[in-house]
Amino acid sequence: MNRLLPTNAALQLLRYLSQQLGQLEYDAEKHRLLLPHEAGDATLYFRLPLTIASPVQGKFAMQQPVNYIILLIQSGNCALGYFENGRNLNHKVFRSYMVRKKQGKSQVKYLKTKGKSRAGSRVRLGETLEFFENINGRLQEYFEHHTIDRIAISCSKTLLPYLYSSKTETPFTKSDPRLLKIPRHVHTPIYEVLLDTNRYLLRGELVFDEQGRERATQLLEAAGITGLQHTPEEDSDSWEEDQEDESADEDVFYDEEDEEEDEMEW
C-alpha cells in the first residue's frame, strides 16, 4: 500500500521527520528513508522526490539543485532525457527492429533460450547492437556537457548486459551510486511515458504494509498532510516482477521474408 505525495507535501513530511525523529536510516540505492515502527517487522518507508539531493552527514539540503537522467529501455524502444530540477531540457527516443515475428519475443531473449536463429535474426541482432550504441552515445553527450547527480533507470535484466557491453561505452558503471531503479512498471518508452515517469519521480511516496498503515496515517496527520488517496495501481510491491517480464508491452516487428530464411548458428 502507498500514498503518493506532491513535491511540496513530500518536503513538508521530510521536514517533520527530520525535526521530530532526527537522523533517519537512508537507503541510497532506492532514495528512501526507512521509518521506525513499534512493530519490528512492519514495512514503512518514505521514497523521496528525485529533486531532493542525497543527505550529507545525515542532513538534507532541500534547496540544492539536482540534475538527472531518466533512461527507459525495453526491447526495441528507448526514451531518455536530461532534467534539471524536474524540467526536461533534452530528450531522445530510439526505436529498433529487434522483436521476433509473431512470438513478440525479443531476439536476445530468443537466443538465450534457443541458441539458434535464422539469417533474418542477424539483422535484428545488428540493430540491437546499434540500438545500444545510440543510447550510450546520447548518454555520453549528457555526461560530457552536464553534471549528473542521479540516473533513474528502467531496464530488464535481460537487456542490461547489452547496455554495459556496447561498443560505445556507457558513461557509468552498473555499480554507480547515482543509479536509481525506477520502482514501478513502465509502459512502452515514448516521450509521453518519459514525462509521466518524471512526474512520478517528482512525487514522494509513503509505502507501508497492513501493519504500518496506522503509523503512516499518524505521520501524515502529524505533519499536517491530509486529503491523500491510496493509489493501488501505483503500488511498488510488484515492480521488480514487471521488470522481469516486459513482453506484454513489446511492440511486434517482423519481416514477411523470415519464413523462407535459412537457419544458421549465431
Side-chain angles (χ1 to χ4, degrees):
M1 292 177 281
N2 70 339
R3 295 288 187 276
L4 288 172
L5 286 70
T7 304
N8 289 339
L11 289 171
Q12 186 175 337
L13 178 59
L14 179 57
R15 291 190 186 98
Y16 171 80
L17 294 173
S18 299
Q19 293 169 1
Q20 299 298 318
L21 303 180
Q23 186 170 329
L24 297 167
E25 183 178 352
Y26 174 67
D27 181 349
E29 183 179 358
K30 297 184 178 180
H31 196 45
R32 67 185 187 183
L33 295 173
L34 306 181
L35 304 181
H37 192 276
E38 294 177 358
D41 57 347
T43 296
L44 181 59
Y45 60 82
F46 176 34
R47 179 183 60 79
L48 302 171
L50 195 56
T51 48
I52 295 179
S54 300
V56 177
Q57 296 181 344
K59 296 183 179 181
F60 289 92
M62 300 185 192
Q63 303 303 319
Q64 179 180 331
V66 176
N67 302 338
Y68 58 93
I69 288 171
I70 296 179
L71 175 60
L72 312 177
I73 302 175
Q74 291 181 13
S75 292
N77 296 276
C78 170
L80 71 161
Y82 169 71
F83 297 77
E84 290 185 359
N85 268 4
R87 294 178 59 246
N88 179 222
L89 300 186
N90 187 274
H91 81 279
K92 182 67 176 178
V93 174
F94 294 105
R95 292 175 63 85
S96 179
Y97 167 65
M98 53 185 286
V99 178
R100 292 181 57 81
K101 178 179 179 179
K102 296 181 182 178
Q103 295 99 322
K105 179 183 290 188
S106 68
Q107 185 62 29
V108 292
K109 284 186 178 181
Y110 178 81
L111 289 178
K112 189 174 181 180
T113 57
K114 300 295 184 180
K116 292 184 178 181
S117 65
R118 296 173 178 174
S121 298
R122 299 176 64 180
V123 175
R124 286 188 290 271
L125 284 169
E127 293 213 9
T128 297
L129 299 178
E130 183 180 3
F131 177 68
F132 286 101
E133 289 171 8
N134 290 335
I135 293 171
N136 282 330
R138 178 54 65 102
L139 288 172
Q140 286 187 1
E141 290 180 19
Y142 290 157
F143 274 75
E144 180 180 350
H145 294 98
H146 307 284
T147 298
I148 306 300
D149 300 306
R150 295 306 297 253
I151 309 155
I153 183 171
S154 174
C155 181
S156 72
K157 292 181 179 179
T158 304
L159 297 178
L160 274 176
Y162 289 84
L163 177 69
Y164 289 113
S165 63
S166 170
K167 184 187 301 183
T168 303
E169 291 186 4
T170 309
F172 52 85
T173 67
K174 62 181 67 177
S175 59
D176 193 305
R178 294 171 294 180
L179 281 170
L180 170 69
K181 293 181 181 179
I182 298 170
R184 76 165 186 174
H185 175 73
V186 174
H187 295 289
T188 302
I190 57 177
Y191 180 52
E192 289 75 12
V193 172
L194 180 73
L195 295 182
D196 181 65
T197 302
N198 182 54
R199 285 189 288 268
Y200 167 75
L201 293 173
L202 289 178
R203 291 181 285 180
E205 184 176 16
L206 197 60
V207 181
F208 48 90
D209 57 13
E210 187 62 39
Q211 290 178 293
R213 179 201 289 265
E214 183 177 353
R215 175 59 174 161
T217 301
Q218 291 173 350
L219 287 174
L220 291 172
E221 291 177 350
I225 301 171
T226 59
L228 300 177
Q229 299 296 320
H230 171 53
T231 50
E233 72 277 5
E234 299 284 5
D235 279 348
S236 302
D237 297 340
S238 62
W239 75 275
E240 290 182 345
E241 296 177 8
D242 292 331
Q243 292 279 302
E244 293 292 333
D245 182 13
E246 63 178 23
S247 60
D249 285 310
E250 291 177 347
D251 291 340
V252 180
F253 301 94
Y254 59 89
D255 187 338
E256 293 292 348
E257 297 178 359
D258 271 4
E259 290 290 336
E260 300 177 1
E261 291 170 341
D262 296 330
E263 290 192 358
M264 62 186 303
E265 296 286 344
W266 184 252

